[in-house]
Amino acid sequence: MNATGTFTVKAFTPTDVTPDPAVTTGLPVGVATMEKLFEGAVAGRSATVFTAAYDQESGVGTYLAMESFEGTLDGREGTFNFVHSATTTGSDHTAEFFTVVPASGTGALTGITGSGGLGVDADGTHRIWFEYELG
């Protein structure tokens, strides 16, 4: 099954979490929490833990995000986790990864497995899609 939607970031809050022991590298590592709102065949909200090694000035870095989703996929209501990451050199995205966390589904989304992706249109619209199965 496939479900697509759009989303907006409602909140992005950097945290004071730092690696211990501290290791200085060429890119600083940061942690933040996010809240996203989804519309379309993917409808609801997510709470996200976001980690990145990223240089704001050059746009170079890699991120990893663990999202806890609450809402509906194609009208099926429940919750589940998904994780995604990507690397950018400032003008592209490579090493993209996106998967639904096994055994994380509840409600009508119990048993969900699959993959998906994220994209940003030229006009700034953020898109998400899932290719999923319910077991």
Side-chain angles (χ1 to χ4, degrees), residues 50-53 61-65 84-88 93 96-98 118:
F50 183 87
T51 303
T62 298
Y63 82 89
L64 172 67
H84 52 96
S85 64
T87 295
T88 180
H93 282 92
E96 293 176 301
F97 176 80
F98 190 113
L118 299 167

Side-chain angles (χ1 to χ4, degrees), residues 1-7 36 38-43 63 67 69 72-74 80 82-86 93 96-100 112-121 125-133:
M1 294 179 270
N2 297 306
T4 63
T6 60
F7 68 90
K36 294 179 183 174
F38 299 87
E39 296 180 339
V42 178
Y63 82 89
E67 302 209 29
F69 175 81
T72 60
L73 290 185
D74 294 323
F80 64 93
F82 62 98
V83 63
H84 52 96
S85 64
H93 282 92
E96 293 176 301
F97 176 80
F98 190 113
T99 195
V100 173
I112 189 169
T113 59
S115 61
L118 299 167
V120 181
D121 294 347
T125 301
H126 287 70
R127 299 198 178 277
I128 188 167
W129 59 90
F130 289 94
E131 297 171 5
Y132 69 99
E133 294 182 13

Side-chain angles (χ1 to χ4, degrees), residues 2-133:
N2 297 306
T4 63
T6 60
F7 68 90
T8 56
V9 175
K10 181 177 177 184
F12 183 91
T13 308
T15 69
D16 290 332
V17 174
T18 56
D20 184 22
V23 176
T24 302
T25 64
L27 291 176
V29 173
V31 178
T33 59
M34 298 173 72
E35 181 180 5
K36 294 179 183 174
L37 302 177
F38 299 87
E39 296 180 339
V42 178
R45 66 187 182 105
S46 72
T48 306
V49 176
F50 183 87
T51 303
Y54 185 74
D55 178 52
Q56 297 248 356
E57 189 174 311
S58 67
V60 173
T62 298
Y63 82 89
L64 172 67
M66 176 65 72
E67 302 209 29
S68 299
F69 175 81
E70 175 181 61
T72 60
L73 290 185
D74 294 323
R76 296 172 183 87
E77 188 171 351
T79 65
F80 64 93
N81 301 110
F82 62 98
V83 63
H84 52 96
S85 64
T87 295
T88 180
T89 60
S91 61
D92 65 349
H93 282 92
T94 62
E96 293 176 301
F97 176 80
F98 190 113
T99 195
V100 173
V101 177
S104 66
T106 68
L109 298 173
T110 298
I112 189 169
T113 59
S115 61
L118 299 167
V120 181
D121 294 347
D123 69 359
T125 301
H126 287 70
R127 299 198 178 277
I128 188 167
W129 59 90
F130 289 94
E131 297 171 5
Y132 69 99
E133 294 182 13

